[in-house]
Amino acid sequence: MPPLDLDAALARVASRRGVLGERLVYLVETPSTNDAAATLAARGAAEGTVVLAEAQTQGRGRLGRTWHSPAGAGLYLSVVFRPAAGGPGGGAAADVARLMTLMAGVAVADGIRRVTGLPVDIKWPNDLVVGRPPRKLAGLLAEASTVSGRIEFVILGIGLNLAPAAYPPDIADRATSLESELGRGVDAVAVLAETLAALGEGYADLKQGRAREMLDRWRALAPFAQGSAVEWESPRGLVRGTTEGIDEEGALVVRVGNRRERVIAGEVHWH
Ligand code: BT5
């Protein structure tokens, strides 16, 4: 059973969230809400379908990593998007899909900020962090399904820590939760509703060609994207540089010696 007050909270933000959350599937435990949502989407589930779980047994991050998802310690949810349906053509849908992770970072950060006042920062590309040194509060996982090069759907997964949990030691040092940061309980239902509202608005902006405003907001929420030391493995070996923001396609721009490089995917280590 989903929390009883969820319907009321979603009703309050109905005009902002659009179709997001019109259909909500609540699971007590599932391997991964991204997989559950992808299965539903492949069977035709409508845009905006949300899968929410109390716990995940195989929560995933990027590059095959694990997202620890103990029961009741976090929000674990996935949303079905169909950017190619109805509105824009294939190229525009690909643009929307490409910026989905950054848009979601803005939405989740703003959702949390509005409900709790906690100054959450975004760390490129998919982390939400708090404090210095930054501790990870939430992570995003956008996965697109394509058929003959056309985007069928995008599943956006959000894992957000609500309460402290017994993580493995290597993660415990770098993770945090809303409760540990705020020193009090949080209204998880309000955070969920406000996040879906912000996601609905951000998605509408992207579909209507207002990516620039979203990217500006992203920049304002992402202090590490300017002047941070980073390194990554490239085909030429380890590359070190200093971040110089993001470009219009959402790539991280890094100054390496006297040239600039664009980083679009893969793993960047921050110092
Ligand atoms: C992410 O990957 O941060 C994306 C996480 C997305 C999770 C959601 S939950 C709902 C949906 N269903 C899924 O199966 N996934 C999505 P990445 O950037 O690769 O970061 C993963 C790394 O974060 C791990 O290797 C750990 O170091 C760390 N980590 C794992 N669990 C964590 C947690 N609960 N809190 C903070 N850090 C964690």
Side-chain angles (χ1 to χ4, degrees), residues 220-243:
L221 289 168
F224 305 103
Q226 283 287 349
S228 295
V230 288
E231 60 183 44
W232 71 97
E233 238 4 286
S234 84
R236 312 184 303 280
L238 192 67
V239 183
R240 288 202 177 85
T242 308
T243 57

Side-chain angles (χ1 to χ4, degrees), residues 36-62:
T39 301
L40 291 175
R43 290 186 196 143
E47 176 159 85
T49 299
V50 172
V51 178
L52 177 68
E54 187 75 19
Q56 297 182 119
T57 52
Q58 289 169 49
R60 291 187 281 114
R62 294 174 306 143

Side-chain angles (χ1 to χ4, degrees), residues 62-63 65 123-127 129 134 136 174 218 224-234 237-246 250-256 261-271:
R62 294 174 306 143
L63 312 169
R65 290 185 291 234
K123 213 172 102 197
W124 188 92
N126 68 318
D127 286 358
V129 297
K136 186 157 171 174
R174 290 178 288 128
W218 191 95
F224 305 103
Q226 283 287 349
S228 295
V230 288
E231 60 183 44
W232 71 97
E233 238 4 286
S234 84
L238 192 67
V239 183
R240 288 202 177 85
T242 308
T243 57
E244 286 196 345
I246 52 164
L252 185 68
V253 180
V254 183
R255 158 84 48 191
V256 180
E261 297 215 8
R262 296 175 74 237
V263 185
I264 48 173
E267 181 65 336
V268 172
H269 296 284
W270 300 75
H271 295 282

